[in-house]
Amino acid sequence: MIYDEYVTQIEGHGRIWFDIKDGKVDVRLEIHEGSRLFESFLRGRRADEVPQMSSRICGVCPVPHNLAAIQALENAMGIEASEQVKMLRRLMIASQMVHSHALHLYVLAAADYLGVNGISDVYAKYPEAVKRCVRIRTVGNKGVEVIGGRAVHPANSVPGGFAKLPTRIEMEKLAKDFKGIMNDCIETFNLFASLKYPEFERATEYLAIDDGKHFPSYAGRLVTNKGLNVEAKEYRNYIKEIFKPYSNTKFCILNGHGFHVGAIARINLFKNRLNPVAKDLLKSSPVKFPSDNPFHNNLAQAIEMVHYTEEAIQIAEELAVKLKDEERPKQTKASTGVGVVEAPRGTLIHEYTVDKDGIVRGANLIIPTGMNTTNIEEDLYAILTANIKKPREELKKLAELLFRAYDPCLSCSTH
Amino acid sequence: MGKRIKKENLKRLFDDISKEYKVIAPVKRGEDYVLEEVKDFSEVALDYPTTILPAKKFILPYKEPIFALDGGEFKELIPDEKIAFFALHMCDANAIGRLDLVFWNDPYYQARREKMLIVGISCKPIETCFCKSTGANVLTNACDLFLKADGENYIGFSMTEKGRKFLSQLYFGPETVDVREVKIDYDEKMHLDIYTIGRRILEDYNNPVWEQTAKRCLACTNCTLVCPLCYCFDVIDETFIVPNEGQRVRCWDSCLLLSFARVAGGHNFRKDLKARYRNIYTHKFKTFVDEFGVPSCVGCGRCITFCPADIDMRETLSKLGGA
Amino acid sequence: MENIYKPFKSKILKVTEQTCDTKVFRIEVKDFEYSPGQFVELSIPGIGEAPISITSSPHEKGYIDLCVRRVGTVTNALHRMNAGDYVWIRGPYGVGFPFETIKGKDIVYVAGGIGMAPLRSSLNYVLHHKKDFGKITVLYGARTPADLLYKEEFDKWAKECNFLVTVDSDKLPDGKPSGWKGNIGVVTTLFAKLNYSIKDAIGIVCGPPVMYKFVIQEFRKAGMPDSSIYLSLERHMKCGVGKCQHCQINNRYVCLDGPVFNYADAKQLPESI
Amino acid sequence: MKPKVAIFDLTDCEGCEVQIVNSKFIDRILGGVEFVNFRLGQRVNRWDDFDVAFVEGAVITSEELELVKKIREHSKLVIALGSCACFGGIASINNFLDINEGKKYVYGENADKIEFLYIKPLPEIIKVDFMIRGCPIATEDFERVVSDLFAGRIPKEHTRPVCMDCKSKGNPCQLLKGVACAGPVAYGGCGAPCPTAGMPCDGCRGPLEDPQTTAELELLKKIASKDDIVRLFRKFAPMAPIFKDIGGGKL
Ligand SMILES: Cc1cc2nc3c(=O)[nH]c(=O)nc-3n(C[C@H](O)[C@H](O)[C@H](O)COP(=O)(O)OP(=O)(O)OC[C@H]3O[C@@H](n4cnc5c(N)ncnc54)[C@H](O)[C@@H]3O)c2cc1C
Ligand code: SF4
Ligand code: SF4
Ligand code: SF4
């Protein structure tokens, strides 16, 4: 049964098929995750229920899906969210980043680097590390829960704002909680900075969003290290999806080739906008960014955990004094809108068309892992070619390690 | 005999109480009012229609651990809280007085009750109120202290030693007011002869009103949960993954639930919603009256205000009255 | 304040298997006064609590017997326990059979299934004080011969009173014939076998909810007034002390006013049977 | 001997597994069981016999159909994890739509290459011993079932509507504000996060035993359009009994 061949410790079902013939590598990233056809069944739904539904695309990173949908719907319906609402959204993203990165680093990636079988063994051998992960994730979850009403699949964020706002006291408490995990995040960075990553490099194009001010988070233009700098709503002109018969996920290309989104892309592009502690850590890091080694994505995630924790503290502290009740703006037009946010795994694009009754009539979603697929295949080809002499088992392990470093999310990418 | 309290002195009273107690008071949340812990007097809503949940939320919490199951032994978890309710309406205070009758020997209830302070306040009856019918519109010593509105100001009545203490802390001059009886008086939308109706429930057991109302009832249990006097409970043992660590909890139940009267083998003594719905009334207006002499209803009107299906207990009762 | 919900720890002295789903647990108690028909709340920490009738008779000292059928959480967990293990008990609760009123009278017991458990307590008490009572009759029905409780006492009972047994079916639970030679039919069919008048006797009934109506009909046919009939009722029950409301039947509580009710009273109470 | 546990995911968002990881008792769980097959958590996975197998997600492909049958053969207890497994989940909205049109909308000319089975709830495919409902499951619910199994209690069904969770939190009622809420007929135990967050309950945990469907629909019709009622019940548990009919348009 194919089930047993799926790459373990990643979200969703995919396998790496490869063959070496006459010194040439043939490799395919086969994604077998079932298609749930979100884009299709979201048509006909009310705009205010769509964000909750689209968050169901992914249980690991529901917040970005929720918020990308809201941003797109707001753009389509002519709703301008308040500054306060945007701050809360950035706080949600920061919280999501923190717990998703902790999940990937400790629960999915750590076992490989520590040379054990899985999370149970990590716990048996390094209980402290698992407890640290639990502490970090608890606070990350708390952040989403306080604002969104529930840790997995936020319940109350809707176009225009929130069905119910958190209280100042909750914000104060949240800031304190995030401060409480600062050390754990730094420890995580130290742990991941001490690991030995496979040596491999391949130059590629890195993409993230830019709002002109913040380290990538909620909304912005699409920018790359190769000079792309366009409005998000123009994404279709640059990013193309292609169907490959062996995969339910569509593969993305940017101007005809693979590109990379995610923690490493964000750090490569915007390391100057990191918060102070994260910036200092980066300076002390044995690995220098920008880096073209995809394995360094794990370290980039560890740095981001520190950065987003700092960000969460800042926003929560500010809102603890100035949070106030406000009216939610209403729909003013019917059109098509695009929303972009940074998910833990990279830039996420949602696009919806809404009619005058507030019913969604069209949807298109481009998911970070989907954007990375072509790049992953290209990297797999390169790394297998570079190590072609090694035994098959070792190649398989290396390929999976590389795949996992991307922190892929296949249920997302297929949706 | 009451003592005059200037409006601005209310804050002092609140602060005095806050020094000794965890103060629970009505506050506005969105369009609704709720009872919550309050630290700052300015948050207290002195003039409010009714809160969603009554004081029961704090006296008989939704889920209360009663024993810790520690390595296979039962360890009592007696609560140690000093709660003061500030600005409860007369009906809600009297509801606690009626709960006292049931839980006189319940160690968890009593642990809270003995240390509790209840400060009542005048209300403006709303459309759904019928405390006069239930006899809960009269000041009793369920209140330690009652604040009767007097124009802009208040007249304070202390009913217990605890109440007297706070009133005397506040009181400066000899200005007393000669009021002998404190009760809430208003024109009830529908006056009900509760005791006669209560007797009729068993006499006229198959009155069509049960069937008719049950058809509209959602069995959502909202009415029983918001009622200050519904106190049915369930007891559950929980463990925390490992079997030898856990707790026995008591949590709210509702006689409207299908599972309420089901026994082993699946036999259910109140299988029809009609029977379950009727049971609320039987207990409130017959059983409880037989046991304690008063109905287990103070006419606070919550079950009417918060029923999503728009069912009005007064209408049901009046149909039973047989006029 | 004494905690009315706090059970005390008691040792299981002996476990005897009665049928495939019923066992008798002998539980050590000291200074425990009760009368037949009363029940205890039995706890297993971390599992839960259940009301169980005392099946032994007050003249047996130092222990109580609980006859328990395995039906759910607590009862299943109890069935996994052995002599030497501990359970927790509080009680006794409820009011038992009114022997003062019954004294000197004939008694007809009608038991169905697990209903034998509380009746046995009363029966053995009565047989122990035989001179205080008149003629004793026991009508006992179970689903199959394998479901009969207290078979080891049948001989004794047969000697000391008029003891009649019937089964619904002579097939074993697995469908095979059991070799049963006795009566077949529901418990009410036994009334026809009584060749003496029970008009002036006291009727005592305990069994599954469906049974009561039919037994009462038989008693009435025999001319017994309703006030001579006593029923032991079962209800969902949580606290045992009249607070939780689960066992409330209109204006009565099974835990405080029962579980034994006089039928003249109970029939005024809708939903009682 | 630690119980042998397997966790499988089919097509879904894996949010329920995340809710497991979110448990404050995760260390006790990791220390208390042996994961024999847990693709998300470890490299080496075996097909020993499992004491308990948790199955998350919906059966959308024929490979998954084959997989769940194999899981059943290997497991003493099968527990359906989350509303995708229990009731088809959000993806089974497709059951009510033209699937070919849907595939074409998403995959264009390659639509035929995508497999999409009519989604049946897991209990309609294999025998399921318990269901842990919810989209996502409530972490406390998972802890409760695992605690029950460890302690030797029989996991109990909740017999309470979501309204009870909702009122326990002291929330104002959505229905009274004129918002269509499935709370009165929905299986409770979730802690009512949705009404607590100011949103109506979408009934993600399926119907309560003995729901007062007629009364609920009568009420909903007064405050919501027919389309809105259909949408409410055709959301996270579309294939649950009763909801299936309402979501299918039988009002
Ligand atoms: C006064 C009194 C005396 C009693 N004496 C005895 C006695 O001597 N011996 C004895 O064996 N029993 C006796 N009982 C009955 C006994 O108390 C119950 O059978 C016991 O509470 C079962 O507890 P449990 O935890 O094992 O079962 P539970 O787990 O509580 O379940 C018990 C039964 O309830 C039913 N049930 C629960 N949930 C549902 C549901 N969702 N749907 C349908 N049915 C459901 C089932 O049939 C289940 O088997 C007595 C009861 C009373 C009130
Ligand atoms: S029955 Fe209704 S009116 Fe009476 S006390 Fe309860 S909620 Fe208030
Ligand atoms: S909001 Fe929904 S769940 Fe809450 S009480 Fe109202 S109907 Fe019930
Ligand atoms: S409130 Fe309703 S939709 Fe929300 S989690 Fe509970 S059952 Fe699901």
Side-chain angles (χ1 to χ4, degrees):
Chain A
M1 187 189 301
I2 288 192
Y3 185 84
D4 295 325
E5 294 173 28
Y6 291 136
V7 180
T8 62
Q9 293 139 296
I10 62 164
E11 216 261 11
H13 300 93
R15 65 169 181 163
I16 299 165
W17 177 93
F18 67 92
D19 196 20
I20 298 173
K21 233 188 243 147
D22 312 327
K24 249 191 79 69
V25 174
D26 193 2
V27 62
R28 294 201 300 252
L29 183 59
E30 300 188 349
I31 299 176
H32 289 189
E33 187 74 21
S35 297
R36 289 168 292 165
L37 308 175
F38 266 84
E39 284 134 327
S40 164
F41 70 68
L42 287 177
R43 292 173 300 163
R45 306 299 303 207
R46 268 194 346 261
D48 61 350
E49 57 178 357
V50 162
Q52 264 80 51
M53 295 175 77
S54 50
S55 89
R56 263 71 180 185
I57 290 171
C58 181
V60 184
C61 57
V63 170
H65 284 287
N66 182 256
L67 294 182
I70 287 178
Q71 197 187 103
L73 292 162
E74 285 179 350
N75 288 339
M77 300 197 291
I79 294 173
E80 177 66 35
S82 72
E83 252 338 284
Q84 170 172 304
V85 163
K86 285 183 189 158
M87 281 175 78
L88 284 166
R89 288 177 184 165
R90 280 201 291 120
L91 180 49
M92 270 172 98
I93 289 185
S95 308
Q96 170 83 87
M97 290 283 185
V98 169
H99 79 73
S100 172
H101 282 352
L103 182 78
H104 180 245
L105 291 176
Y106 285 100
V107 181
L108 306 181
D112 268 332
Y113 289 105
L114 300 175
V116 295
N117 179 37
I119 179 62
S120 297
D121 300 339
V122 175
Y123 176 66
K125 286 204 178 140
Y126 308 95
E128 266 322 303
V130 172
K131 284 185 185 147
R132 189 187 308 140
C133 167
V134 170
R135 286 194 296 269
I136 296 173
R137 296 198 67 257
T138 307
V139 174
N141 276 327
K142 192 66 165 296
V144 180
E145 198 181 327
V146 163
I147 309 165
R150 174 165 55 195
V152 175
H153 301 323
N156 76 354
S157 49
V158 286
F162 295 89
K164 192 171 154 195
L165 284 173
T167 62
R168 290 185 187 180
I169 297 170
E170 282 173 320
M171 284 293 122
E172 203 179 301
K173 206 164 163 288
L174 198 59
K176 224 170 103 204
D177 287 345
F178 270 103
K179 279 186 190 153
I181 58 163
M182 199 60 201
N183 258 334
D184 286 326
C185 294
I186 295 174
E187 276 305 305
T188 307
F189 169 80
N190 291 338
L191 172 65
F192 279 82
S194 73
L195 300 177
K196 205 173 143 343
Y197 297 96
E199 272 168 35
F200 171 71
E201 260 182 18
R202 190 180 72 84
T204 186
E205 188 162 359
Y206 297 96
L207 179 134
I209 59 172
D210 178 13
D211 66 356
K213 194 161 143 205
H214 301 100
F215 187 80
S217 166
Y218 177 77
R221 295 167 69 83
L222 302 174
V223 299
T224 72
N225 57 333
K226 299 266 170 76
L228 182 83
N229 186 335
V230 296
E231 273 200 62
K233 65 180 181 211
E234 293 176 57
Y235 77 96
R236 281 181 196 256
N237 297 336
Y238 304 91
I239 298 171
K240 296 266 179 310
E241 291 183 300
I242 34 181
F243 181 79
K244 300 201 178 180
Y246 50 78
S247 166
N248 283 353
T249 293
K250 290 180 268 187
F251 282 55
C252 286
I253 45 173
L254 177 67
N255 295 326
H257 56 78
F259 61 108
H260 199 163
V261 296
I264 192 171
R266 291 187 289 255
I267 300 256
N268 279 350
L269 284 160
F270 293 104
K271 63 182 168 118
N272 293 335
R273 290 190 195 163
L274 285 171
N275 281 318
V277 181
K279 215 183 239 169
D280 281 351
L281 288 176
L282 191 68
K283 276 194 203 120
S284 74
S285 160
V287 170
K288 297 298 167 212
F289 288 88
S291 161
D292 276 332
N293 180 345
F295 292 100
H296 291 161
N297 190 45
N298 288 150
L299 187 57
Q301 289 180 317
I303 295 167
E304 282 196 340
M305 257 167 66
V306 178
H307 163 83
Y308 286 115
T309 300
E310 291 176 85
E311 169 143 318
I313 297 168
Q314 284 159 16
I315 300 177
E317 279 184 339
E318 195 176 333
L319 290 177
V321 287
K322 68 174 209 196
L323 194 84
K324 57 174 197 304
D325 273 344
E326 32 176 47
E327 282 280 299
R328 281 209 313 269
K330 303 244 151 46
Q331 175 169 15
T332 59
K333 68 173 188 198
S335 69
T336 298
V338 173
V340 286
V341 302
E342 284 293 333
R345 290 152 194 81
T347 310
L348 168 67
I349 305 177
H350 279 216
E351 177 190 274
Y352 299 99
T353 305
V354 186
D355 72 11
K356 65 171 190 352
D357 301 318
I359 305 293
V360 167
R361 293 298 170 198
N364 191 38
L365 315 170
I366 302 204
I367 277 72
T369 300
M371 299 203 207
N372 280 338
T373 40
T374 309
N375 208 59
I376 296 172
E377 248 184 16
E378 289 170 0
D379 269 353
L380 285 170
Y381 178 82
I383 202 168
L384 291 173
T385 307
N387 294 282
I388 199 156
K389 297 265 148 55
K390 293 199 173 139
R392 193 178 165 86
E393 259 319 294
E394 222 170 287
L395 288 181
K396 181 169 177 268
K397 229 178 143 179
L398 195 59
E400 291 189 358
L401 194 63
L402 178 95
F403 187 29
R404 198 170 296 121
Y406 273 84
D407 188 6
C409 178
L410 306 184
S411 21
C412 269
S413 66
T414 308
H415 56 278
Chain B
M1 203 77 87
K3 299 192 175 178
R4 243 182 246 297
I5 304 177
K6 286 237 160 53
K7 190 172 184 185
E8 54 271 26
N9 277 336
L10 232 46
K11 178 174 160 36
R12 267 210 36 209
L13 176 65
F14 179 90
D15 291 341
D16 285 350
I17 296 172
S18 294
K19 278 182 207 130
E20 283 180 49
Y21 293 88
K22 169 172 155 185
V23 184
I24 311 291
V27 292
K28 191 162 194 247
R29 286 275 170 266
E31 295 148 35
D32 307 279
Y33 291 84
V34 296
L35 284 176
E36 257 180 29
E37 183 175 357
V38 177
K39 297 235 161 80
D40 188 54
F41 177 70
S42 66
E43 279 185 65
V44 181
L46 293 171
D47 191 7
Y48 65 101
T50 182
T51 55
I52 298 178
L53 288 179
K56 162 175 98 170
K57 169 179 164 190
F58 299 92
I59 313 175
L60 293 166
Y62 174 62
K63 193 172 163 190
E64 169 166 45
I66 55 173
F67 292 108
L69 307 169
D70 196 352
E73 304 273 328
F74 288 96
K75 289 222 176 93
E76 284 174 292
L77 296 171
I78 301 290
D80 181 23
E81 285 183 302
K82 268 184 101 172
I83 307 177
F85 290 103
F86 190 86
L88 280 194
H89 287 167
M90 189 99 85
C91 56
D92 280 353
N94 283 333
I96 300 177
R98 291 183 189 184
L99 280 180
D100 289 348
L101 302 170
V102 182
F103 290 97
W104 62 276
N105 60 348
D106 182 288
Y108 304 93
Y109 182 91
Q110 286 302 334
R112 287 198 180 86
R113 188 68 181 95
E114 277 161 12
K115 292 186 194 143
M116 189 181 295
L117 180 79
I118 299 177
V119 181
I121 199 164
S122 285
C123 55
K124 294 198 194 86
I126 54 171
E127 196 264 341
T128 49
C129 293
F130 61 109
C131 60
K132 268 169 77 179
S133 296
T134 62
N137 63 328
V138 190
L139 180 61
T140 67
N141 62 0
C143 276
D144 296 291
L145 185 58
F146 188 79
L147 305 169
K148 184 177 187 305
D150 178 35
E152 266 289 277
N153 300 316
Y154 292 88
I155 306 170
F157 295 88
S158 51
M159 306 297 288
T160 67
E161 197 46 52
K162 278 190 228 171
R164 197 165 300 133
K165 190 186 116 189
F166 283 103
L167 197 57
S168 56
Q169 277 180 27
L170 210 62
Y171 175 66
F172 303 112
E175 205 178 348
T176 58
V177 191
D178 192 12
V179 178
R180 296 283 155 188
E181 196 189 31
V182 181
K183 64 179 189 187
I184 312 290
D185 214 359
Y186 60 105
D187 284 331
E188 281 180 324
K189 184 179 168 207
M190 201 185 282
H191 185 79
L192 299 159
D193 183 356
I194 287 281
Y195 294 92
T196 312
I197 295 171
R199 276 195 295 278
R200 287 197 52 79
I201 297 178
L202 289 192
E203 290 163 16
D204 187 12
Y205 205 64
N206 291 312
N207 190 303
V209 71
W210 304 122
E211 179 94 49
Q212 286 158 10
T213 326
K215 267 204 189 119
R216 284 159 54 212
C217 175
L218 300 164
C220 68
T221 73
N222 268 324
C223 56
T224 59
L225 305 187
V226 296
C227 175
L229 272 154
C230 275
Y231 56 84
C232 300
F233 62 82
D234 196 359
V235 179
I236 305 163
D237 279 16
E238 300 179 328
T239 47
F240 308 133
I241 312 293
V242 289
N244 55 3
E245 197 191 317
Q247 57 190 16
R248 174 164 290 176
V249 297
R250 152 157 98 184
C251 73
W252 293 357
D253 205 337
S254 171
C255 63
L256 273 170
L257 298 174
L258 183 63
S259 55
F260 194 80
R262 180 161 55 203
V263 296
H267 187 81
N268 195 329
F269 290 92
R270 286 193 287 271
K271 198 159 169 292
D272 291 338
L273 181 55
K274 175 176 96 175
R276 284 179 270 146
Y277 179 69
R278 175 175 52 213
N279 187 65
I280 300 180
Y281 292 75
T282 329
H283 182 231
K284 287 196 178 305
F285 303 106
K286 172 71 183 148
T287 317
F288 202 89
V289 175
D290 286 358
E291 234 182 321
F292 303 112
V294 285
S296 73
C297 166
V298 287
C300 71
R302 282 191 180 83
C303 57
I304 307 166
T305 310
F306 299 112
C307 172
D310 216 5
I311 292 172
D312 189 332
M313 175 175 263
R314 292 167 301 184
E315 273 167 31
T316 310
L317 285 169
S318 72
K319 283 188 190 147
L320 280 173
Chain C
M1 177 180 285
E2 191 201 350
N3 192 330
I4 47 173
Y5 307 109
K6 186 162 183 171
F8 58 87
K9 193 172 184 175
S10 322
K11 191 152 136 193
I12 301 180
L13 298 172
K14 193 167 96 180
V15 182
T16 18
E17 195 132 351
Q18 281 291 336
T19 69
C20 63
D21 63 359
T22 310
K23 287 181 181 175
V24 173
F25 297 83
R26 175 155 297 177
I27 287 158
E28 188 175 40
V29 287
K30 291 195 185 74
D31 308 324
F32 191 83
E33 296 291 326
Y34 66 95
S35 56
Q38 283 195 299
F39 65 95
V40 294
E41 282 280 354
L42 176 137
S43 275
I44 305 175
I47 303 287
E49 202 169 36
I52 302 290
S53 300
I54 302 170
T55 189
S56 48
S57 166
H59 67 266
E60 304 168 69
K61 296 287 179 209
Y63 63 84
I64 53 172
D65 281 341
L66 304 177
C67 175
V68 179
R69 188 148 61 102
R70 183 157 51 82
V71 294
T73 310
V74 176
T75 47
N76 266 295
L78 184 65
H79 269 244
R80 288 194 295 268
M81 298 178 98
N82 300 307
D85 291 341
Y86 287 92
V87 291
W88 297 68
I89 301 277
R90 57 192 175 94
Y93 292 127
V95 288
F97 298 99
F99 289 113
E100 288 312 309
T101 348
I102 298 175
K103 239 181 196 163
K105 303 233 170 92
D106 293 352
I107 302 178
V108 182
Y109 286 103
V110 184
I114 188 75
M116 191 64 198
L119 292 198
R120 174 185 178 264
S121 174
S122 161
L123 174 62
N124 280 349
Y125 176 86
V126 166
L127 293 178
H128 191 75
H129 302 273
K130 215 169 155 189
K131 56 180 189 327
D132 292 341
F133 298 92
K135 186 176 172 61
I136 313 294
T137 311
V138 178
L139 311 179
Y140 176 29
R143 265 171 307 172
T144 74
D147 291 315
L148 288 166
L149 303 172
Y150 296 112
K151 284 198 256 313
E152 67 278 11
E153 290 179 77
F154 282 12
D155 285 347
K156 183 186 104 189
W157 289 337
K159 253 182 257 149
E160 301 192 13
C161 61
N162 185 15
F163 181 68
L164 300 175
V165 185
T166 180
V167 292
D168 294 355
S169 150
D170 64 349
K171 300 275 192 305
L172 288 173
D174 58 12
K176 294 205 187 82
S178 64
W180 173 255
K181 299 269 171 0
N183 300 311
I184 296 176
V186 291
V187 74
T188 39
T189 57
L190 292 177
F191 279 90
K193 300 202 174 351
L194 300 180
N195 52 8
Y196 46 88
S197 166
I198 55 169
K199 196 161 92 63
D200 298 321
I202 296 290
I204 295 182
V205 193
C206 188
V210 287
M211 194 185 89
Y212 292 88
K213 235 192 338 222
F214 298 104
V215 173
I216 287 161
Q217 266 171 21
E218 291 297 329
F219 278 144
R220 284 182 153 177
K221 253 194 266 166
M224 196 186 275
D226 290 347
S227 59
S228 297
I229 305 173
Y230 290 89
L231 315 169
S232 179
L233 299 183
E234 186 189 341
R235 278 300 182 278
H236 191 142
M237 193 180 279
K238 282 293 174 185
C239 70
V241 290
K243 311 257 183 254
C244 78
Q245 296 301 313
H246 279 90
C247 72
Q248 177 232 9
I249 310 173
N250 290 302
N251 55 350
R252 296 287 196 289
Y253 294 100
V254 172
C255 64
L256 298 179
D257 307 315
V260 178
F261 288 90
N262 185 294
Y263 179 60
D265 201 16
K267 77 174 176 194
Q268 308 290 339
L269 267 187
E271 290 171 10
S272 63
I273 52 172
Chain D
M1 268 293 279
K2 290 180 182 175
K4 289 185 158 90
V5 174
I7 303 182
F8 292 94
D9 43 58
L10 312 172
T11 296
D12 67 343
C13 79
E14 296 183 14
C16 295
E17 275 173 283
V18 175
Q19 285 287 60
I20 297 178
V21 182
N22 287 350
S23 169
K24 59 181 177 296
F25 298 119
I26 187 69
D27 50 340
R28 291 185 182 181
I29 297 169
L30 288 175
V33 306
E34 184 195 345
F35 285 110
V36 190
N37 202 320
F38 179 22
R39 191 193 56 79
L40 194 66
Q42 64 195 24
R43 175 177 293 277
V44 182
N45 294 300
R46 304 189 311 271
W47 281 95
D48 298 6
D49 282 348
F50 318 130
D51 291 314
V52 190
F54 292 92
V55 182
E56 184 205 48
V59 176
I60 289 191
T61 64
S62 36
E63 189 196 339
E64 287 167 338
L65 194 59
E66 198 188 319
L67 176 68
V68 295
K69 287 179 184 154
K70 182 164 168 185
I71 294 170
R72 182 69 261 186
E73 281 166 21
H74 284 267
S75 319
K76 278 197 205 124
L77 291 179
V78 172
I79 300 187
L81 194 63
S83 290
C84 291
C86 300
F87 307 118
I90 190 164
S92 57
I93 294 176
N94 285 302
N95 285 356
F96 299 83
L97 308 172
D98 176 350
I99 189 69
N100 288 323
E101 191 276 334
K103 283 201 272 189
K104 222 179 239 134
Y105 182 72
V106 179
Y107 286 95
E109 65 212 31
N110 300 299
D112 323 336
K113 304 195 180 94
I114 301 297
E115 185 181 29
F116 192 103
L117 301 177
Y118 180 86
I119 299 179
K120 282 188 188 165
L122 194 60
E124 289 178 25
I125 304 173
I126 57 170
K127 179 177 165 269
V128 166
D129 299 282
F130 299 112
M131 298 203 278
I132 304 182
R133 304 147 182 247
C135 181
I137 59 163
T139 303
E140 294 72 25
D141 243 9
F142 177 79
E143 289 164 355
R144 182 179 59 85
V145 170
V146 172
S147 300
D148 282 350
L149 293 175
F150 275 19
R153 295 182 302 257
I154 303 156
K156 276 222 161 61
E157 290 281 333
H158 275 285
T159 50
R160 304 160 165 224
V162 169
C163 291
M164 215 157 160
D165 297 76
C166 180
K167 267 294 151 315
S168 77
K169 299 261 164 92
N171 299 325
C173 178
Q174 295 287 325
L175 285 170
L176 285 171
K177 299 197 185 299
V179 179
C181 180
V185 293
Y187 191 97
C190 55
C194 306
T196 308
M199 300 288 281
C201 164
D202 297 318
C204 76
R205 298 160 68 91
L208 173 75
E209 65 165 351
D210 189 35
Q212 300 303 311
T213 320
T214 319
E216 165 85 355
L217 286 178
E218 282 304 307
L219 185 59
L220 289 183
K221 278 181 207 160
K222 283 187 210 148
I223 57 178
S225 71
K226 193 176 161 197
D227 283 350
D228 277 341
I229 299 173
V230 165
R231 279 193 279 254
L232 178 64
F233 289 93
R234 190 197 284 179
K235 204 181 250 177
F236 301 128
M239 295 300 284
I242 302 175
F243 290 11
K244 190 162 83 178
D245 297 334
I246 308 174
K250 264 190 243 161
L251 297 185

